[in-house]
Amino acid sequence: MCITLHNSQELFAPMRYSAFSVITQALRGHTGWTPAWRKAEPAPHYDVVIIGGGGGGLATAYYLARHHNVGRIAVLEKGWLGNGSIGRNTTIIRSNYGLPGNIPFYELSMKLWEGLEQDINYNAMVSQRGIFNIYHNDAQRDSYARRGNAMLLHGVDAELLDSARLRREIPYLDYENARFPIHGALVQRRAGTARHDAVAWGYARAADKLGVDIIENCEVTGIDIENGAVKGVQTTRGAITVGKVGIAVAGASSLVGAMAGLRLPIESHALQAFVTEGLKPLIDNVITFGAGHFYISQSDKGGLVFGGDIDGYNSYAARGNLPTVEDVCEGGIALMPMLGRARLLRSWGGIMDMTMDGSPIIDKTPVGNLFFNGGWCYGGFKATPASGFCFAHLIAREEPHAVAAAYRLDRFAEGRLIDEKGAGAQPNLH
Amino acid sequence: MRIPCPHCGPRGLDEFLYTQDASAARPKDGGAAPTEEWTDYVYMRENARGPRREYWYHSAGCHAWLIVTRDVSSHEILSVDLP
Amino acid sequence: MTGYRLPAGGSIDRNRLVTFRFDGKAFAGFGGDTLASALLANGVRLVGRSFKYHRPRGIFSAGSEEPSALVELGLGAYREPNTRATMVEIFEGLTANSQNRFPSLKYDLLSVNSLVSPFLAAGFYYKTFMWPAKFWERVYEPLIRRAAGLGRNAGVPDPDSYEKNTEFCDVLVIGGGADGVKAAREAAGRVILCDENPLVPEGLPENVLVLPRTTVFAVYDGGTYAAITQLPAQTPRQRLVRIVAGRSVIATGALERPLVFANNDLPGVMLAGAVGDYITRYGVAVGRNILLAINNDDAAALIPLLAENGIGIAGIVDTRRKSSDHVYALAREAGVAVFAGAGIITAEGRLGVGGAKIRLHNGTMLRVACDIIASSGGFNPNIALTSQFDAKPVWDETIAAFTAGTLPPGASIIGKAAGHGINANIAPHWHSGITPGKSFVDLQNDVTVKDIQLANQEGFSSVEHVKRYTTLGMATDQGKTANVNALAILAEAQGKSIPETGTTRFRPPYSPVSLGALAGAHKGKAFKPTRLAPTHEFSTAQGATFIETGMWLRAQYYPRPGEDWLAAAQREVNTVRNSVGICDVTTLGKIDIQGPDAAKFLECVYTNSWTNLAIGRVRYGLMLREDGFVMDDGTTARLGANHFVMTTTTANAAKVMQHLEFCAQVLWPELDVTFISVTDQWAQIAVAGPQSRATISKIVDSPFDVTNEAFPYMGCAELTICGGTPARLFRISFSGELAYELAVPARYGNALAAKLMEAGAEYGIAPYGTEALGIMRIEKGHAAGPELNGQTTAHDLGLHKLLSKKKDFIGRAMAARAALTDPARLTLVGLRPEDGTSILRAGSHLLPIGAAATAKNDQGHITSAARSPSLGPIALALLANGPARIGEKIRVYDPVRQGDCIAEIVAPIHYDSDGTRLHA
């Protein structure tokens, strides 16, 4: 992969973050820190408007400004920056996918994660602590082997551990008394976690530095279309004329899409995430249960961050249900009986735009100069860098980036689905 | 959420399964209907805020399929009908 | 008892002495004490260290809002970290330890963090630790992780048990204070009253069920509430109560907020109301010389209480420009000075409060000696539950507090929780200004006034940004005593009003809930139900090894002495191929379908044709999903004109049932057909092998004729066996041999297996398990789970001839799309190793020989593999353009298991490809 840096100037010059700047500011009582990003006011015209100030939108704006010469860029955010999925997920990053439509894309994302902090000068705490997908029977082992082999063929790291080896690495799983015995794990060592909010803030700060206007509390209320092409957007802070518009509004894709007359292969569902009270280091990796819906890691602050299945029905209320909470915790205790006395501190719900095959969409739309990025299902956070990178590429060059070429909108009509789970056109099963 | 099953009375969410939008009907002329119509039925969803007609299955109950009209913004159940 | 216990008062049982240990030292308290009250009674003030700076911390409150007094409760596997000392009822032998300190509470090495604290301001870690890149995982992160966190998880399985129940009521009253008790008394119907404290209010009518020690921690849709009941020193330890309520009354009272000044985290700085609670509930004087700091009249109630109990009052600092007549009157009576218009600048002391520095109204500084600073910045209505449910709290300027926004459906809110009767004459005072020391807003996460100001300076101006950037309100108390102060400080920094700045919200749970309780009994072997086959006893007696197949336990193989799984499975295959074997196939889904339109209905759900199936015949059927991909397959038998029995795969039994119900109820309601799952009603045993007919013939009742002529391949019949037992016989074969499946009512499963063993004894009959079953189905090239994985089409599996062109069926239209029938798709083939011996493994990928191992050259993968006793290693695979490539060689690449060999591409049917043996 080759990433070339476009000759964009750094238009704004806030201080660079470093150990030195932290120390000097500490000695000056922190009086010199400037805002991480400007509170930009909307201008009457932009060459590119990105709707959605979440991870995808901010990353898109950053990579557009960094690698493409597209003129003036704005990110319009309805509320506060990063309030959607980027700020309410379980922070896992990985590229352990099984299908050729997905692997190169998520691997590009992984590579971007690996250089992200130095690239954007922001510590997003990318922690490559490894993900362990536990398997419980021969069929599951073979299906993980298929995936692991596919990953290796794509140049992604993968290991298949048997139960003895897994037990040496992760001794505290229920190896003795499990309803579904633990037979081993598929491991991606380069996978891990990142501090989700910091990803949004870091991209925002870096994009702002390259001159992108990040406009918070600016809700798009309409998309103006003339002769089949986008001409502008209506917002709560006035009308803006545009060259191109990119939609990156996870959780509201259908709602914003409808403003441009799009009908999408998406349903919006609630996914709950959970965190326990802070604990001393206990779980050093990301671990997923293969016999139930449960995945877990421990934040650097000490909380065990975990999640499970989506709640199972369409929702625009970011509110979970109790049976799912119980189901997730049952999975947790079944896998790690030591968690019985850990206490759930907080749970929250986010809205997932679930597509009909469980894979995302990054494509042009039938409307001219209108581009769509969405349908991230559970996978939006880990995809953030590549999502932005490929969406920027698409918007700037009007052709898909090679690794995102499968994420077409017409794949549903044509039957070229990217269905990792084989669940079919029922979003709540993906 | 609790769903008033017309056969069983109000029951907890864990007895039910949601599968799909009930607003679109399966194309009547089977395999002969145009592909666009099928694509729309199988894949495309309005996914708007507010009330929505949905198919729910009383899987841990009477096995009835229900058409539940539910506000997806508030989770309020507005009506439950048999197909 | 000496120390700080008052001679009388409190609802403790002074006749019951309870001994316990804290940090290894023995103490005594009384029955009814909390760990906090007992420690305070013993004069223990230092109980913990703070999260970030490891500063000494004491007991701050008397309730579940406690931010500071967190301890590790219990030892070994029973150790429970982060337990609020204010919520633990002591019992004989209780052991608690302080946490987040090393080597000891008094001398904590990491308190050095306090010295370097200028470098640890809010968000410092986002700005550094980036170089060199590799150092994050290796150096910085481990250091941060070790320093962070609070208590230690035991790291071993939780030995306790938990339970769950569901309660239904007309009215749920949350909170057992005076308002809640009154509401419960007046409510009609079945009433449940929950309170997090142990005391049961007296004199409630019979229709009221009181749940003490029960915290309602979350509100869900449909009037469902989640509560947790503590069952101290009992097993189960806790109970999760799901409460379904017609309506609810939220009577959760109000929580006091502290005043914010420098060093306001020292042990001995407490909420004023808590000081009162320790006196009235536990008979404990938390100090001997108490400085009261207030900005409202409510907290003045403490003055007479202290005076009556002979507790010294060092003075009353009232931040209001003019204190109220009420305060003056009480102070006069108690003989105490009131410093109006004054404020505490800083608390003083090293490991606990020894005094305070006060700025008087005229700007002069005054040092006051005291051992406790009791502060009250007013009360916040306790509206956490209401805010969980969408609604944003609303700022009420008259009481300088947030009240509930729109309530959850069916809920009402009363008393202090509704903002009634609190914060009399309050004049908000949010912090004492720029001071040399740290002024804490969130005590548990060590968030200071300066941190909030810095976050705002750096552009983190939304409340949510401030919380995320500083970690404010993210600790175990969810900022119960911090959030409103923080919002006010942020508003001040922005020069805005509080409602302009934002609001505060709470997420479930109200207070932390153990995962053990949320999981309940569903752990270990009881994680999911276990379904036993009707021949389970038989198989156990035969020495079977069992395997989990979905919820089922199935016999995997029947090892004889000296046999491993492979030897046993291969012997079982040989037995079937050469003689006869039996296998329980009950787990396959069985659906009984009846009605005049039953055949028509099958036409709709299966791709192939059914109306022409004769009575007494069986047919293989293929089912698609509406998107055109394969859903399931199986055989369906016609027992009568209007009566069919369908079989499904084990994995999809419930899904197919659900699908049929959908088709019948929603898509084709006009068809007169009904069906029911009979999977559990019939024990079904496959009898397979050349001697199967001879074996069966011994147990079928005459005159039933099992000859090939009378009962040919794909025949079915209802009959009796063993002298009158009703049964169903199907001549179907998964093994590829002459075979039958015999079904009897489930209760006869074990008996039938035994009868068959007896009947086949002379042929050397043996039971076979899922391993042998798997080998034989791969030999025969039958698609099963790994091939029916939801990603394959009829074309992929070579089943496209089953797609009728004459009728509509589920999936027909979408299956016709070009992409689903593209020859380049991965299509089913067989594989045999070139050398005849290399083991093939499912999950291996297929590459052209000599091509680089890259994604570009990836042409497919093995779905199922087996070691056939007669053929050696064989496999089924999905290969691009598969059928056209039969005879070619291909590389089988399995790097995750170090596999790499060459295989020949063959037809999927490895064994008896013309089916001679089936028809024998």
Coordinates of all heavy atoms in Angstrom, one line a residue, chain A residues 268-294:
Chain A
S268 N -32.0 0.4 11.2 CA -31.2 0.9 12.4 C -31.6 0.2 13.6 O -32.8 0.1 14.0 CB -31.5 2.4 12.5 OG -31.1 3.1 11.4
H269 N -30.6 -0.3 14.3 CA -30.9 -1.1 15.5 C -30.0 -0.6 16.7 O -29.0 0.0 16.5 CB -30.5 -2.6 15.2 CG -31.4 -3.3 14.3 ND1 -32.3 -4.3 14.8 CD2 -31.7 -3.2 13.0 CE1 -33.0 -4.7 13.8 NE2 -32.7 -4.1 12.7
A270 N -30.5 -0.9 17.9 CA -29.8 -0.5 19.1 C -28.8 -1.6 19.5 O -29.1 -2.8 19.5 CB -30.7 -0.2 20.2
L271 N -27.6 -1.2 19.8 CA -26.6 -2.1 20.4 C -26.2 -1.5 21.7 O -25.9 -0.3 21.8 CB -25.4 -2.2 19.4 CG -24.2 -3.0 20.0 CD1 -24.5 -4.4 20.0 CD2 -22.9 -2.8 19.1
Q272 N -26.1 -2.3 22.7 CA -25.7 -1.9 24.0 C -24.2 -2.2 24.2 O -23.7 -3.2 23.7 CB -26.5 -2.6 25.1 CG -28.0 -2.3 25.0 CD -28.8 -2.9 26.2 OE1 -28.6 -2.4 27.3 NE2 -29.6 -3.9 26.0
A273 N -23.6 -1.3 25.0 CA -22.2 -1.6 25.4 C -22.2 -1.4 26.9 O -23.0 -0.7 27.5 CB -21.3 -0.7 24.7
F274 N -21.2 -2.0 27.5 CA -21.1 -2.0 29.0 C -19.7 -1.8 29.5 O -18.8 -2.1 28.8 CB -21.6 -3.4 29.5 CG -22.9 -3.8 28.9 CD1 -23.0 -4.5 27.7 CD2 -24.1 -3.5 29.6 CE1 -24.2 -4.9 27.1 CE2 -25.3 -3.9 29.0 CZ -25.4 -4.6 27.8
V275 N -19.6 -1.2 30.7 CA -18.3 -1.1 31.3 C -18.5 -1.3 32.8 O -19.5 -1.0 33.4 CB -17.7 0.3 31.0 CG1 -18.5 1.4 31.6 CG2 -16.2 0.4 31.5
T276 N -17.5 -2.0 33.3 CA -17.5 -2.3 34.8 C -16.8 -1.2 35.5 O -16.1 -0.4 34.9 CB -16.8 -3.6 35.1 OG1 -15.4 -3.5 34.9 CG2 -17.4 -4.8 34.3
E277 N -16.8 -1.3 36.8 CA -16.0 -0.5 37.6 C -14.5 -0.7 37.3 O -14.2 -1.8 36.8 CB -16.2 -0.8 39.1 CG -17.6 -0.6 39.6 CD -17.8 -1.0 41.0 OE1 -17.0 -1.8 41.6 OE2 -18.8 -0.6 41.6
G278 N -13.7 0.3 37.7 CA -12.3 0.1 37.4 C -11.7 -1.0 38.2 O -12.0 -1.2 39.4
L279 N -10.8 -1.8 37.6 CA -10.1 -2.9 38.2 C -8.7 -2.8 37.9 O -8.3 -2.3 36.8 CB -10.7 -4.2 37.8 CG -12.2 -4.5 38.2 CD1 -12.7 -5.7 37.4 CD2 -12.3 -4.7 39.7
K280 N -7.8 -3.4 38.7 CA -6.4 -3.5 38.4 C -6.3 -4.4 37.2 O -7.2 -5.2 36.9 CB -5.7 -4.1 39.6 CG -5.5 -3.0 40.7 CD -4.6 -1.9 40.4 CE -4.6 -0.8 41.5 NZ -4.0 0.4 41.0
P281 N -5.2 -4.4 36.4 CA -5.1 -5.2 35.2 C -5.5 -6.6 35.4 O -5.0 -7.3 36.3 CB -3.6 -5.1 34.8 CG -3.2 -3.8 35.4 CD -4.0 -3.6 36.7
L282 N -6.5 -7.1 34.6 CA -7.1 -8.4 34.7 C -7.1 -9.1 33.4 O -6.8 -10.3 33.2 CB -8.5 -8.2 35.3 CG -9.3 -9.5 35.6 CD1 -8.7 -10.2 36.8 CD2 -10.7 -9.1 35.9
I283 N -7.6 -8.4 32.3 CA -7.7 -9.0 31.0 C -6.8 -8.2 30.1 O -7.0 -7.0 29.9 CB -9.2 -8.9 30.6 CG1 -10.0 -9.8 31.5 CG2 -9.4 -9.3 29.1 CD1 -11.5 -9.7 31.3
D284 N -5.8 -8.9 29.5 CA -4.8 -8.2 28.8 C -5.1 -8.1 27.3 O -4.3 -7.5 26.5 CB -3.4 -8.8 29.0 CG -3.0 -8.7 30.4 OD1 -3.4 -7.8 31.1 OD2 -2.2 -9.6 30.9
N285 N -6.1 -8.8 26.8 CA -6.4 -8.9 25.4 C -7.8 -8.6 25.1 O -8.6 -8.3 26.0 CB -6.1 -10.3 24.9 CG -4.8 -10.9 25.5 OD1 -4.8 -11.5 26.5 ND2 -3.7 -10.5 24.9
V286 N -8.2 -8.7 23.8 CA -9.6 -8.6 23.5 C -10.0 -10.1 23.3 O -9.3 -10.9 22.6 CB -9.8 -7.9 22.2 CG1 -11.3 -7.8 21.8 CG2 -9.2 -6.5 22.2
I287 N -11.1 -10.5 23.9 CA -11.5 -11.9 23.9 C -13.0 -11.9 23.4 O -13.8 -11.2 23.9 CB -11.3 -12.5 25.2 CG1 -9.9 -12.5 25.6 CG2 -11.8 -14.0 25.2 CD1 -9.6 -12.9 27.0
T288 N -13.3 -12.8 22.5 CA -14.7 -13.0 22.1 C -15.1 -14.4 22.3 O -14.3 -15.4 22.1 CB -14.9 -12.7 20.6 OG1 -14.4 -13.7 19.8 CG2 -14.2 -11.4 20.2
F289 N -16.3 -14.6 22.7 CA -16.9 -15.9 23.1 C -17.5 -16.5 21.8 O -18.2 -15.8 21.1 CB -18.0 -15.6 24.1 CG -18.6 -16.8 24.8 CD1 -17.9 -18.0 24.9 CD2 -19.9 -16.7 25.3 CE1 -18.5 -19.1 25.6 CE2 -20.5 -17.8 25.9 CZ -19.8 -19.0 26.1
G290 N -17.3 -17.8 21.6 CA -17.8 -18.4 20.4 C -19.1 -19.1 20.6 O -19.7 -19.6 19.6
A291 N -19.5 -19.2 21.8 CA -20.8 -20.0 22.1 C -21.9 -19.1 22.6 O -22.8 -19.5 23.2 CB -20.5 -21.1 23.0
G292 N -21.7 -17.8 22.5 CA -22.7 -16.8 22.9 C -22.3 -15.5 22.4 O -21.3 -15.3 21.7
H293 N -23.0 -14.5 22.8 CA -22.7 -13.1 22.3 C -22.0 -12.4 23.4 O -22.6 -11.8 24.3 CB -24.0 -12.4 21.9 CG -24.8 -13.2 20.9 ND1 -24.4 -13.3 19.6 CD2 -25.9 -13.9 21.0 CE1 -25.2 -14.0 18.9 NE2 -26.2 -14.4 19.7
F294 N -20.7 -12.3 23.3 CA -19.9 -11.6 24.3 C -18.5 -11.3 23.8 O -17.9 -12.2 23.3 CB -19.9 -12.5 25.6 CG -19.1 -11.9 26.7 CD1 -19.7 -10.9 27.5 CD2 -17.8 -12.3 27.1 CE1 -19.0 -10.3 28.5 CE2 -17.1 -11.7 28.1 CZ -17.7 -10.7 28.8

